[in-house]
Amino acid sequence: MRRVNLGGSDGLEVSQCGMGVMSITAFYGDPIPDEDAIELIHKAVESGCSFFDTAEAYVAQHPVTKELLWNEEILGKAVAVIGRDRVEIGTKFGGRSAMTGPAAGDHMKQACHAALKRLQTDTIDMYYLHRVDPNVPIEETVGTMADLVREGAVKCIGLSEASPDVISRAHAVHPIACVQQEWSLYTRDLEEDIVPVCRELGIGIVPYSPLGRGFLSDDMVAPANDARQMFPRLMGNAFEANKILRAKVAAMARDKGCHTAQLALAWLWKQGEKLGVDVVPIPGTTKIRNVQSNCSAVDVPISDVELAELSSAFDDVVGERGFEQYMSSTYKVTTNAKEKPKG
Ligand code: ATR
């Protein structure tokens, strides 16, 4: 699989297709057993994927044992078995719901060291701010992240759900290697504002939910019976209307002899190429056959005609990309305190 430098030559080299591990322990159905998770991640590595994505916020109670399942811990266990030098680890700090303190200073440093422990490593390859802290100037947050780079705890810095203004201000303090942002056939708002600033500053883009939380595949036949049921596009009438739009993409995939999910991923790489940004999606899965299929999507060619056809497939998508509380910490809504003038 092709390798991509997120953030250019001083950034982080990762596989062109990454993998999100969140759903192994939480939010999209029941957690899978540890040994299955380790095998899944191992198979991903054997398929050429080396870039794995988790977060401090991905913590949930086991439905039966009630113990706390930290998603970072299962990735750490898998990496310990597979070999640290075969993977790049991406994890994120805080997030509105997980933010127990400010996104800067000692609190952030302690959180980073706790993540290192859960991940069983001494360096995080890509450390992201999960959601922008409205009360802490981004310069201060990135200043702390830069300290973590100097300490060797972190190699590169990323942001998630950051506005173009926040991205530029952050990049002026320390190079931002990538921005993690929802991007898929049916979520394309970032193309008009975040993509241009990333292109200008040489920042890579890591699309999250590149398969629309599973909707952009052949498998989701009914609204998901888990955290996804709160997402407006996957609810009731909206789900039915969006299914009609998806059918066109599914028919194109059948004609090309690939899966719908593969076409959705292949579109992202091609669209990134067209817009002049490096794109490394991180599809999440709990199944070996799906991770193998997602990795093979790097070989699905997309013509310019197909690109145009796919790009218009969800022009009439029904429903917001997230529910109200979710949207309240996304990049178009979150404000960020300005730095106090010095002196
Ligand atoms: P997120 O980034 O929020 O995890 P996503 O990557 O867009 O969302 O989609 C994840 C969902 O897509 C998961 O529910 C996953 O289901 P499985 O665990 O059953 O695989 C589903 N998914 C991932 N790859 C898939 C594939 N190749 N075919 C069908 N469904 C897939």
Side-chain angles (χ1 to χ4, degrees):
M1 190 185 298
R2 191 166 68 82
R3 309 281 295 167
V4 175
N5 276 323
L6 288 173
S9 50
D10 293 333
L12 182 71
E13 190 191 286
V14 298
S15 54
Q16 181 189 357
C17 186
M19 176 183 172
V21 300
M22 177 190 80
S23 57
I24 287 176
T25 54
F27 308 127
Y28 296 178
D30 286 339
I32 64 171
D34 281 9
E35 41 305 353
D36 294 358
I38 293 168
E39 198 194 348
L40 173 71
I41 293 169
H42 206 162
K43 290 288 187 223
V45 171
E46 285 174 355
S47 304
C49 169
S50 61
F51 186 39
F52 294 90
D53 186 84
T54 178
E56 179 189 27
Y58 302 159
V59 54
Q61 219 177 27
H62 190 285
V64 179
T65 65
K66 304 293 176 206
E67 66 175 320
L68 271 191
L69 295 179
W70 290 85
N71 193 252
E72 289 173 330
E73 270 181 7
I74 188 60
L75 182 58
K77 280 183 196 170
V79 170
V81 173
I82 296 163
R84 181 66 183 89
D85 55 343
R86 298 176 76 189
V87 303
E88 300 90 43
I89 297 175
T91 193
K92 317 181 201 78
F93 162 84
R96 264 306 159 80
S97 56
M99 215 172 254
T100 51
D106 287 347
H107 173 72
M108 195 174 193
K109 287 187 180 173
Q110 279 157 16
C112 178
H113 285 278
L116 287 168
K117 208 165 156 197
R118 287 190 290 273
L119 289 160
Q120 301 187 38
T121 187
D122 48 17
T123 313
I124 292 164
D125 298 295
M126 186 69 75
Y127 198 46
Y128 301 87
L129 176 66
H130 205 158
R131 292 291 185 268
V132 172
D133 186 336
N135 303 314
V136 178
I138 192 68
E139 291 80 0
E140 215 177 304
T141 302
V142 175
T144 300
M145 294 171 98
D147 284 347
L148 289 166
V149 173
R150 279 187 286 275
E151 276 176 28
V154 165
K155 274 194 193 139
C156 289
I157 295 177
L159 302 173
S160 184
E161 293 292 352
S163 68
D165 173 57
V166 166
I167 294 169
S168 304
R169 285 166 53 198
H171 195 74
V173 176
H174 184 93
I176 300 300
C178 75
V179 163
Q180 186 173 135
Q181 190 60 39
E182 182 171 354
W183 193 3
S184 70
L185 281 173
Y186 78 12
T187 299
R188 299 184 46 207
D189 24 349
L190 80 167
E191 291 180 24
E192 65 182 21
D193 44 19
I194 288 181
V195 167
V197 77
C198 287
R199 183 177 50 231
E200 190 190 318
L201 299 175
I203 297 172
I205 301 190
V206 173
Y208 77 81
S209 298
L211 302 176
R213 302 184 168 78
F215 178 78
L216 301 167
S217 74
D218 302 310
D219 290 358
M220 199 191 272
V221 288
N225 187 26
D226 50 43
R228 289 171 291 184
Q229 65 196 350
M230 295 189 294
F231 286 83
R233 289 180 186 169
L234 305 176
M235 290 163 102
N237 291 341
F239 182 81
E240 293 308 320
N242 292 329
K243 248 167 65 178
I244 295 169
L245 306 179
R246 182 183 65 181
K248 201 167 137 193
V249 179
M252 279 178 76
R254 267 196 307 278
D255 288 348
K256 286 176 74 70
C258 66
H259 296 294
T260 305
Q262 288 182 313
L263 197 53
L265 293 173
W267 172 83
L268 269 171
W269 288 304
K270 188 76 182 175
Q271 184 69 352
E273 205 180 293
K274 182 183 157 197
L275 299 179
V277 282
D278 286 320
V279 168
V280 177
I282 44 168
T285 182
T286 52
K287 300 190 176 69
I288 290 173
R289 68 166 186 276
N290 285 349
V291 79
Q292 289 171 333
S293 170
N294 296 343
C295 288
S296 306
V298 297
D299 296 320
V300 173
I302 305 266
S303 70
D304 289 343
V305 173
E306 288 166 337
L307 183 73
E309 212 173 316
L310 286 165
S311 298
S312 61
F314 285 95
D315 281 352
D316 298 321
V317 66
V318 181
E320 276 288 313
R321 79 170 166 106
F323 50 94
E324 209 179 321
Q325 197 199 347
Y326 181 91
M327 292 306 286
S328 70
S329 60
T330 55
Y331 80 95
K332 287 196 179 169
V333 180
T334 311
T335 53
N336 181 249
K338 294 275 180 201
E339 246 187 333
K340 289 193 189 75
K342 292 197 175 80

